[in-house]
Amino acid sequence: MARLFGTDGVRGLANGDLSPELAMSVAAAAARVLAEHDSSHRPVAVVGRDPRASGEMLQAAVAAGLTSAGADVMQVGVLPTPAIAYLVGELNSDLGVMISASHNPMPDNGVKLFAAGGQKLPDTIEDEIEAMVGVTVDRPTGAGVGRIYDISDALDRYLAHLHKALPNRLEGLRVVVDCANGAAWAAAPQAYREAGAEVIAIHALPDGENINDGCGSTHLEGLRETVLAEKADLGIAHDGDADRCLAVDATGEVIDGDQIMAVLALAMKESGELAEDTLVATVMSNLGLHLAMREHAVNLRTTAVGDRYVLEELRAGSLSLGGEQSGHVVLPAHATTGDGLLTAMRLMARISATSRSLADLAGVMTRLPQVLVNVKVADKAAVATSDSVSSAVAAVEAELGESGRVLLRPSGTEQLVRVMVEAPSHEMAEAAAQRLVGVVSAVG
């Protein structure tokens, strides 16, 4: 059977494969596993959600599951995922539960768990929880049943935390923020205004059904148009649960996660905050980021795709900055997971401190044209061990030299091989990619 937990919790079609019964069972199992690991006190869980309609149903199910297993629940309402991670530590709780499907469309939802301190749950603990799902056990009664409390100042606590991480005020900046009709709809505009920026908020009226609907970090057209129309200094786009941040400069050009990391890395190196003068990114980050960091004497470590691998590398090396091209950026000194609001505030602080435009700052990195093709194959393993594929890759790499890059990556969930080529021009990248696609198709 497929593993219940994916790379970002349990996710699926709300009231379909992600039923309230499943959410309740996962929550109860999590509480029981926590109690087994530490029986010294009654477990306490922080529970939040994004504004999609099914979140109300699933929050009720999660709260029921936790309390039925003897855990107390602190409900914090609609808040970004990174706020839940922060509040787990701030409120000295044992578990965090975020009900969200991030950038997925509205019908989907998910249950994401955080360990004490706001860290991601280790795989071993997820496995223990999964093994307990659906298992019939004796449940507490009477005073042993958990209680539910509403935390009224959760947003204020999170915003205070964000402002402590801000190196300077944002006065003079005019920013458009696209809240994706999601979890950041209230938090992001308030955070940026309180830091001194003039804020124009769009897609900040969630109705339970419009989250990520033609807006947010996966649909930047509206943000670009508004930045130009309002003559703003920049635009910020969040996804449904606000753990990501992409930007748009004053001319309407998109600034992706790689460029944001480049700006932050140089700022942190200058201030002495960049541990080991090292940035962590995934193998999918653009070659332009590698070249820019090399030019400015910043080491770049790469990991497999996925924020959990970035987090593991950051923790293993006690490093201070990492992330993904998608805009998922982690600053471990201030957050245990990607925080789109924190990223945006640090980016804007750099603009304000230097009096330079975002376009100028992001110009430190030149994005090379990138072509990505998903190739359906019958056998991923055959492609991985094929001599003809290896020879074709080597030939393309020799042609591109240091001005380009090739990456072949099997999908973790499907019979697909992802062929990615970066080159000085789109035409060169497309031609090289198609050559490799032909070889991969013939083998697979």
Side-chain angles (χ1 to χ4, degrees), residues 377 379-395 408 410 417 435-444:
V377 296
D379 187 351
K380 293 182 291 187
V383 174
T385 57
S386 167
D387 290 339
S388 60
V389 171
S390 298
S391 297
V393 169
L408 264 64
V417 174
R435 282 168 53 194
L436 294 173
V437 166
V439 177
V440 169
S441 298
V443 171

Side-chain angles (χ1 to χ4, degrees), residues 55-325:
E56 300 160 1
M57 170 188 72
L58 292 174
Q59 177 176 281
V62 165
L66 291 167
T67 52
S68 74
D72 287 340
V73 173
M74 293 189 282
Q75 294 185 148
V76 298
V78 174
L79 283 179
T81 290
I84 306 308
Y86 167 71
L87 289 166
V88 171
E90 167 71 8
L91 297 172
N92 197 31
S93 62
D94 305 286
L95 177 71
V97 184
M98 178 63 181
I99 300 163
S100 174
S102 187
H103 58 279
N104 283 28
M106 185 279 290
D108 291 346
N109 217 324
V111 177
K112 182 173 182 175
L113 305 180
F114 291 99
Q119 303 287 345
K120 285 203 169 188
L121 281 181
D123 288 347
T124 53
I125 300 298
E126 286 186 346
D127 290 341
E128 289 182 43
I129 293 171
E130 187 163 334
M132 291 289 289
V133 170
V135 174
T136 301
V137 297
D138 291 335
R139 292 185 291 191
T141 58
V145 174
R147 305 295 298 275
I148 298 175
Y149 306 92
D150 291 323
I151 306 301
S152 60
D153 65 345
L155 175 59
D156 293 337
R157 288 172 182 256
Y158 174 57
L159 294 180
H161 155 69
L162 289 178
H163 290 299
K164 287 178 183 176
L166 195 63
N168 53 268
R169 300 275 297 169
L170 308 180
E171 270 85 9
L173 282 184
R174 182 174 170 85
V175 58
V176 179
V177 55
D178 185 340
C179 301
N181 291 315
W185 77 272
Q190 185 174 339
Y192 307 155
R193 287 190 183 109
E194 289 180 354
E198 179 185 354
V199 178
I200 300 151
I202 62 173
H203 303 123
L205 292 171
D207 62 10
E209 299 179 9
N210 59 3
I211 186 170
N212 300 320
D213 186 8
C215 57
S217 60
T218 54
H219 302 277
L220 296 171
E221 301 81 9
L223 179 62
R224 296 175 66 187
E225 291 171 4
T226 307
V227 166
L228 294 172
E230 295 288 345
K231 295 181 170 56
D233 296 300
L234 76 157
I236 295 294
H238 296 301
D239 59 338
D241 71 336
D243 64 351
R244 299 185 189 188
C245 165
L246 293 179
V248 171
D249 69 23
T251 70
E253 286 296 311
V254 174
I255 307 299
D256 68 12
D258 285 343
Q259 292 167 293
I260 291 172
M261 287 192 291
V263 173
L264 296 184
L266 297 191
M268 292 172 67
K269 183 180 181 185
E270 182 181 296
S271 64
E273 296 175 272
L274 191 64
E276 305 292 333
D277 286 342
T278 297
L279 168 67
V280 178
T282 76
V283 293
M284 291 302 293
S285 279
N286 194 276
L287 178 60
L289 179 62
H290 292 252
L291 298 176
M293 294 300 95
R294 187 183 308 162
E295 182 180 346
H296 289 84
V298 172
N299 305 309
L300 184 60
R301 296 189 190 177
T302 56
T303 73
V305 175
D307 65 289
R308 70 164 51 229
Y309 302 112
V310 173
L311 281 163
E312 287 172 3
E313 186 68 23
L314 288 167
R315 285 199 291 267
S318 299
L319 301 174
S320 54
L321 178 64
E324 299 181 279
Q325 192 179 66

Side-chain angles (χ1 to χ4, degrees), residues 368-371 373 396 399-400 421-436:
L368 271 69
Q370 187 180 80
V371 171
V373 183
V396 171
E399 292 174 13
L400 295 175
V421 178
E422 292 168 344
S425 71
H426 180 81
E427 292 75 18
M428 289 178 64
E430 181 68 33
Q434 291 305 322
R435 282 168 53 194
L436 294 173

